[in-house]
Every structure is written in C-alpha cells, then in structure tokens.
Amino acid sequence: MIKEFPVRYGRNYKVVLAIILPCLLIVPFIFLMQKFKSKEEWEVWVVIYTFLGAIIGLSVWLVLRIYPKTIFCIRYNEISLVFDHTNLFSPKDFTFNVEDITAFTEGTIGTDSYYIFETQNPSRKFQVSAISYKIEDMLDFNEAMVEISDLVNGEE
C-alpha cells in the first residue's frame, strides 16, 4: 500500500538565509547611491523603492525555491521524499525507514502546523508542512502526519 501526499520540505536555516542574504545588498546599494547626488529627489526615491521591491521579490523567490514542493510517499515502514529536480535548489530524493526516526515533533506558526523529523542513518533534521492553505491540502497533510504518528508509535 503506497500513499502519496504533496508537502513542502524545508530546513530552517536555509529559509532564514534566503530572507537575510538579499538584505545584505543594501550596503553596496548605499555606496552606489553616493554617485547619484546630482539626481532629482523624485528620481532617487524611484530608484530606492525599485531596489527595495527587487530585494523583497528576490527574498520571496528564494524562499519558495528553498522550501520546495515534494511528494511524501509512505509505503509500509518506508518513507520517501521525491523532489522536482527542475528546481535548482531542490535536494536529492531520499528514503528512510520508520525505525530511523529519532524524533517526530509538531510545531506551529500561528494556526499553521508543521512537523519536524529527525532521523538517523544518515542523520537528518528537516520539516514538512502543507503544500498550501487550501482545505484539501491541509486535510491531506494532517492525514499523512497521523499515519506517520501511528507508525512511529507502533499503532499499525
């Protein structure tokens, strides 16, 4: 019996880096703006707002690439994560057994929940969350996590 669920896969440090690193471009931008002292004030403001919009867009684009969609497959006591490899930042597909899970914890951000997996052989720590905020996707995600919880706790 194989069950497949679409989820988002992430590592917290990568998401934080995707948000923070583009912001570091502000320092060179300030030095570059020193060369535009002779520009009209409205032109400078347009350049500043355009730059800030580009930084925000780059951060959002990076976060969506770093927190990719994946297929979470459950087959008996084996769990696989299959990624779309057209995304440059997607990790390689991997598989682990339920016995390799050392920790399975739920976290929440606001009303949204995510689950953190820690595995051994090899040692990994990652999180999965629902692929979107649609009710169907949230129900599928909850179904998958209940099934994993049952497997981890030995109820099936």
Side-chain angles (χ1 to χ4, degrees):
M1 162 177 83
I2 298 175
K3 293 185 178 181
E4 295 182 348
F5 304 93
V7 297
R8 284 205 179 263
Y9 165 89
R11 309 270 316 256
N12 286 344
Y13 78 93
K14 287 184 177 181
V15 175
V16 170
L17 286 175
I19 293 169
I20 292 174
L21 287 179
C23 296
L24 296 177
L25 293 172
I26 291 173
V27 173
F29 176 73
I30 291 171
F31 287 121
L32 180 68
M33 286 302 293
Q34 297 295 320
K35 297 182 186 232
F36 295 109
K37 289 180 182 177
S38 62
K39 292 278 188 189
E40 293 287 331
E41 183 179 356
W42 70 270
E43 291 175 318
V44 172
W45 283 113
V46 167
V47 170
I48 290 170
Y49 284 123
T50 302
F51 175 76
L52 292 175
I55 291 292
I56 292 168
L58 178 62
S59 293
V60 170
W61 182 82
L62 279 173
V63 165
L64 291 176
R65 297 299 178 273
I66 295 295
Y67 206 60
K69 296 176 183 178
T70 184
I71 302 297
F72 190 86
C73 304
I74 303 171
R75 184 174 38 163
Y76 302 109
N77 283 340
E78 186 177 85
I79 300 166
S80 301
L81 280 91
V82 181
F83 298 91
D84 176 15
H85 295 292
T86 59
N87 178 356
L88 177 66
F89 298 109
S90 287
K92 294 181 181 177
D93 300 347
F94 63 91
T95 302
F96 57 93
N97 293 318
V98 172
E99 297 84 32
D100 293 334
I101 298 174
T102 57
F104 176 67
T105 56
E106 180 180 12
T108 57
I109 297 176
T111 59
D112 302 324
S113 64
Y114 60 90
Y115 287 83
I116 298 172
F117 286 80
E118 292 183 47
T119 64
Q120 61 186 3
N121 300 329
S123 180
R124 280 192 184 97
K125 183 176 180 178
F126 62 92
Q127 73 182 42
V128 294
S129 61
I131 198 165
S132 74
Y133 296 113
K134 294 179 185 171
I135 291 292
E136 307 85 42
D137 293 333
M138 300 290 265
L139 290 174
D140 283 346
F141 177 70
N142 288 336
E143 178 186 343
M145 295 305 109
V146 165
E147 186 156 333
I148 294 298
S149 179
D150 289 348
L151 289 171
V152 168
N153 296 326
E155 295 178 16
E156 279 192 28

